[in-house]
Amino acid sequence: MSGSPLQDGGRRLLVAVALVSGAALGYELVLLRFFSLMYWSQFAHLIIGMALLSFGVSGTILALLQDRLLRNFHRSFCCSALLFTFTLPVATSLAGRLGFNPPEVIWDGGQLGRLAAVFSLVSLPFACAGLCIGLTMRWQTGAVARIYRADLTGAAGGALLIMVLLFVLSPQGAVRLLALAGLTAAALVSRGEGRGRRSWRLAATAIALLIILWPTQWLAPVMSPFKGLAQALHVPGIHIAARTRSPAGEFTALRSDAIPFRFAPGLSMVAPATPPEQIALFHDGDPVGMILQGTGGPEAMEFLRWTPMALPYVLVDRPRVLVLGAGGGGDVWHAVLEQAPLIDAVEPSGELSDFVRFPFADFAGAIHGRSGVRLYRHDVRGFLAAARDRYDLIQVSPLGTATPPAAGGHALDPQYLYTVEGIRQALARLSEGGILAVTLALDLPPRSAVKMLATVAEALRLERHPDPSRHVAVIRTWNTVTIAASPAPLSPQRQEAVRAFCRTRAFDLVWLPDIGPAEVNRVNVLQRPFFYEAAREIWQGEGYRLSHPFNIVPATDDRPWFGHFFRWSSFGDLWAQRAAGSAAMLEWEYLLLWMSLAVAVTVSLLLIALPLHPLYRTQRHQQSGTGGYALRIVYFAALGLAFFFLEIAFIQQFVLFLNQPLLAMAVVVPSFLLFAGGGSGYADRLAARAAIIRPVWLRDRPVALAAAAIVTVAAVYLWLLPLVFHAGAAWPAPLRVVGSILLIGGLAFWMGMPFPLGLGRLGRNRPAFVPFAWGVNGFFSVISTTAATILALHGGFRLVIAAALGLYLLAAACERRL
């Protein structure tokens, strides 16, 4: 069809494309909220993959039906936009009602079928949106760069808008608004067509009424019955005391009128005091701590002296305390009980700290308003980087929200505090004899505590303590392990204090610098002294890490998954014994990552590759130069992989710099899309300049110029970003946001060029191949998000970046054959 620049309602068409693209990306972000509520939070790769799969499917539909669709472009666009509007509430309502339960994939093969059903169902709106955009690019091949710019800038606007709207709208309300955006896009394009106006108005009115009148309860996410909140609400007497929501999630507080909540991890069996009544806190259905009743003052908190979290207080008298992950205030109360002169409490979630400060302030004894207590709403890693004070005690415990995840949970959640770099930052904030105390849930076989001990050991070595075993004490209770580390070697007096502490509370010693084998595993007796043996092996070096049946290699900022313990060498034995209790050790999140990749590839082959294959063969035989077809496929496949590889890797870098994941999402994703859209708009100018460039080998090769810029900027960023992030750790948030936007723009601007440049050249030379290229790009984009996560898990984000840069160079090498 038309190869000329946009005319005759071109602005309306670009606005319609931007609306559809913005609504599609907005729906992608809303789905993250839905899936986090319905299932668990580790589904970002799955949702992005579903969206990209759908765009590939739209390329297949367009390739097979392009003549029929282009014959009446306006009607085709309107129908696609109306289908997008209609499928949004339908897919949202059904997605949580198919019986899919992620942890069951380990023992129930039928869950894979349900996963595929969820995958396919939620893909429908994205396929309709992709058809709108791909159809426009095929209809106006001479304006591909402008259309692609509208696509990306619309997506940026949609991402930013939905982040703001989720402060005031529920996810269900956001779905309605996004559906109406699709309807508006259809109305904009329909103005260019006179015939069938009455039918169009009837259809649009019917769908608008359907969206408005769609029952809210049908749109509401159905929470998994295996989540902590769903299970707690089945207990008689428990009710919801407060609930709030934000783009960060849904936060719930529960109280019990019958049997009060009482949570005291590791409480000694000989404790003379009992915990007070508590209010349970949940985030997206997962437990995140307790608010302790503080109306009785510090005297009501005497039980805390009989928990393992009291260990550092026998080593340091009246310490200046930093509580990481203040949560419901339990660790703050402990510091008040021990008469700490200064208590700094850091809580990343403002919603949780607001529960303690406002609706339950009286219940909590106004703990955050007490003299000497300073509350900071900040990411804990960012606070450590920006802080200038020194502390005698840094406390991380299960009473707060910063405790490391238990083995078998949150395997794909980055945990930057528990990387080697994070522990080094914590140690650097201690006074000379200060204590870093980390208490974790006990798991058998040992994983979390062993990995944390290995991480602490590596951090101490890098802090120039060649024998870390002299700086660490480890104790064990019936259900917890506590690691206490100090920049100074533990003196004999401190070691005796640890022994006396364990004796009076019936806790087990695990490690002291002068410990003997006869002192361990004496109270809460295990089959073997697993933790003591692990500690001895860790002090000897890396050999134990490699021979352990689980992955206990310390996490780093390049591979920040502390909760990832899976090793393929143990898979066979664990899988064979999964019915006997080893299912929790199989790490379903990691296995689901591979399963979702298999499902994505299978569905992509069925819906994209196989339907396009006959068309590919027909076009290959009809046109000359058939040898270039493989290179065209390679070009768009390489771009499909490279763009998301690079975007995902650098998003993680900026999450660490901006400190707050919600802020990072609101800044990084729209910035990437907006600047990539700007680069797309500049693509035609770059092509014009490349046509007259002096070096003959670069003449008429704009993709090679863009790829060279991408490789150069990304390589510089690998060296520059750590320096900028270190220097800017103490900058105020607005300055870090501006700096992030500028840095992102320097890379994303060039990343927006190769796709429209390639598609534009293909449109001029072989326009019938444009839908095929759209489908190929979609197919490999589907794979890219999951593949990038797997690659980063095993090789780190730097490897993902290196692979992306190689793919961009590969695409540049194929440019002349488009």
Side-chain angles (χ1 to χ4, degrees), residues 609-621:
L610 292 181
L612 287 178
H613 184 66
L615 181 65
Y616 161 76
R617 293 180 60 185
T618 301
Q619 293 182 358
R620 186 184 65 183
H621 289 300

Side-chain angles (χ1 to χ4, degrees), residues 53 66 111 133 209 339 364 377 510 540 577 604 698 731 749:
L53 167 67
Q66 56 182 305
Q111 289 294 332
I133 299 165
L209 288 173
Q339 302 179 9
R377 180 179 177 179
V510 172
Q540 295 174 9
Q577 300 173 33
S604 297
L698 275 177
W731 294 352
F749 179 80

Side-chain angles (χ1 to χ4, degrees), residues 8 32 88 205 243 323 459 465 585 594 648-649 675 728 767 809:
D8 188 23
L32 287 174
L88 271 179
T205 303
R243 175 177 283 169
V323 175
H465 301 299
M585 292 178 258
W594 283 98
I648 288 170
F675 281 101
L809 293 176

Side-chain angles (χ1 to χ4, degrees), residues 633-652:
I633 292 173
V634 169
Y635 179 88
F636 288 100
L639 292 185
L641 292 168
F643 187 93
F644 286 98
F645 273 24
L646 214 52
E647 184 181 30
I648 288 170
F650 276 107
I651 281 176
Q652 286 297 325

Side-chain angles (χ1 to χ4, degrees), residues 4-28:
S4 60
L6 281 169
Q7 299 173 359
D8 188 23
R11 287 188 179 181
R12 290 201 306 270
L13 183 57
L14 291 177
V15 172
V17 167
L19 279 172
V20 170
S21 180
L25 190 63
Y27 184 53
E28 199 173 318

Side-chain angles (χ1 to χ4, degrees), residues 261-279:
F261 289 103
R262 300 190 193 277
F263 177 64
L267 183 65
S268 170
M269 296 294 186
V270 296
T274 58
E277 180 183 346
Q278 300 166 8
I279 293 174

